[in-house]
Amino acid sequence: MLCRSFLAISLLALALGLVPVLAGCSDDDGWEAGGDSDSDSDSDSDSDSDTDSDTDSDTDSDTDSDSDTDTEWDTDEVCDRWNGDRADMSEGSWSGSVSGCVQGDISSTGRENALKLVNLYRWLAGLPAVSHSAYNNNHAQACSLLMDANNSLSHYPPASWTCYTADGSTGAGASNISTTPGVQGVDLYMVDPGNTSTLGHRRWILSNSLGPIGLGSTDSYSCMKVLGGSGSAGASWTAWPSPGVVPLEAFSPDSVSWTSMDNTGWTVQSDSINLSGANVSITAGSVNKPMTVTNLAGNYGSTYAISMIPQGWDAEANTTYEVEITGISPTISYLVHVTDCP
């Protein structure tokens, strides 16, 4: 029932016309598509409840400067890839219409730009690129029309919905879904506001099993089919922000400027390491950076996951954060170097 409770909040946010809304479901809800388990969390990004915003002037900020004198960071490579892959953020054009329930399709520009962003985030996280397929794209496109025609989000669309089709229903049950077009949706999924108990949209994009995916979009709704993947990345664990160089702009992309990953949480996910007993320490230089650690619901793109929400501070450029996770086997330790990629 987790998906249903999140969905109710999501739809309330949508009705109030507040901010872009995401939705998804977990394996535990029993939905299956193509023999695979269900998609990620329903998120209500209904309000930017940035409780940390008025505490960002952390008194430790003067001591957060990058003290990693023994490490050389290849910031140019990361910034070149970040800026290059985001040079064209156009959504493309939709050939369909809600009137008459014409599914149509999103132009190749919009679909390829969305895929490029998915693979940009996966590259930063050290994961292999994924492709899309015509079969999955059809489900995602039918799902997008269904959401748009009913001005609502649901993974359980009733047959009474306008423009209902079996393909649309299949896509709805197997996708990340958003009240934004497809390209903007990728950034929104990665920040993942409103999903404090799952951060599932992000976890599906960073999943070992992802791919090939399906990408569909109208002018105002989009679906990303993430279930049924045959990927085998095999990462023991994946963190976001990831080890190594991470653009500051990834914490709050332009299209999601009303919130930040520092508000929604940093994450570590794994299919093999039980993170439920994790103790987390994050430092910048010699300064401890307090976090609230939460065990996230299982089976949203990974078997296990935790979130780590900064308390009273935000990530800063030219700063290296050392993350150490103990109380698990094996322990996890890595460095995140935040850089500005203007």
Side-chain angles (χ1 to χ4, degrees):
M1 298 304 293
L2 178 64
C3 175
R4 296 181 186 273
S5 63
F6 271 115
L7 184 59
I9 301 173
S10 297
L11 296 183
L12 174 60
L14 182 62
L16 295 175
L18 296 176
V19 295
V21 177
L22 310 176
C25 299
S26 78
D27 298 352
D28 297 332
D29 293 303
W31 278 85
E32 296 187 356
D36 199 87
S37 56
D38 209 0
S39 75
D40 67 333
S41 64
D42 290 49
S43 86
D44 62 325
S45 47
D46 55 343
S47 65
D48 183 10
S49 55
D50 300 335
T51 56
D52 297 336
S53 61
D54 59 350
T55 61
D56 291 345
S57 55
D58 185 0
T59 56
D60 296 335
S61 60
D62 291 339
T63 62
D64 285 351
S65 59
D66 189 359
S67 60
D68 53 316
T69 55
D70 296 330
T71 304
E72 293 185 4
W73 301 100
D74 193 350
T75 57
D76 288 343
E77 179 186 16
V78 169
C79 287
D80 287 348
R81 175 73 184 259
W82 176 264
N83 290 326
D85 284 1
R86 300 177 69 86
D88 182 1
M89 296 284 286
S90 60
E91 297 284 357
S93 57
W94 177 44
S95 63
S97 173
V98 169
S99 176
C101 296
V102 179
Q103 176 177 312
D105 202 5
I106 193 68
S107 64
S108 60
T109 298
R111 179 167 284 131
E112 293 305 322
N113 283 345
L115 180 67
K116 187 164 52 178
L117 289 191
V118 169
N119 286 327
L120 168 62
Y121 284 114
R122 286 180 64 84
W123 176 77
L124 286 168
L127 297 170
V130 297
S131 61
H132 58 76
S133 71
Y135 177 80
N136 289 329
N137 289 340
N138 176 62
H139 286 158
Q141 192 61 47
C143 167
S144 300
L145 170 64
L146 190 55
M147 303 301 120
D148 198 342
N150 293 277
N151 195 32
S152 189
L153 297 180
S154 176
H155 293 286
Y156 313 95
S160 60
W161 265 26
T162 302
C163 301
Y164 179 92
T165 62
D167 284 346
S169 179
T170 296
S175 298
N176 293 345
I177 55 182
S178 172
T179 62
T180 71
V183 179
Q184 182 182 349
V186 180
D187 283 341
L188 190 60
Y189 296 142
M190 287 302 294
V191 178
D192 218 355
N195 283 326
T196 56
S197 67
T198 65
L199 288 172
H201 301 93
R202 179 194 304 171
R203 287 164 61 191
W204 270 113
I205 289 176
L206 300 180
S207 176
N208 279 325
S209 65
L210 190 70
I213 62 175
L215 295 163
S217 181
T218 67
D219 294 332
S220 53
Y221 282 79
S222 60
C223 300
M224 178 191 295
K225 188 180 178 185
V226 294
L227 291 190
S230 58
S232 56
S236 176
W237 55 270
T238 299
W240 189 254
S242 53
V245 179
V246 178
L248 180 64
E249 291 75 10
F251 284 74
S252 183
D254 289 342
S255 60
V256 199
S257 59
W258 44 272
T259 189
S260 166
M261 182 166 46
D262 289 325
N263 297 322
T264 59
W266 301 22
T267 49
V268 174
Q269 64 190 68
S270 177
D271 292 322
S272 58
I273 302 173
N274 188 338
L275 298 166
S276 60
N279 298 310
V280 178
S281 169
I282 297 183
T283 56
S286 59
V287 178
N288 180 60
K289 311 302 290 183
M291 313 280 285
T292 296
V293 179
T294 301
N295 288 310
L296 300 176
N299 301 319
Y300 288 77
S302 67
T303 305
Y304 309 103
I306 58 172
S307 70
M308 305 167 287
I309 301 178
Q311 297 299 302
W313 61 277
D314 287 334
E316 297 181 359
N318 304 316
T319 304
T320 300
Y321 299 91
E322 181 176 2
V323 182
E324 293 188 356
I325 305 176
T326 59
I328 59 174
S329 182
T331 59
I332 295 173
S333 179
Y334 59 97
L335 298 177
V336 177
H337 180 74
V338 181
T339 190
D340 192 9
C341 294

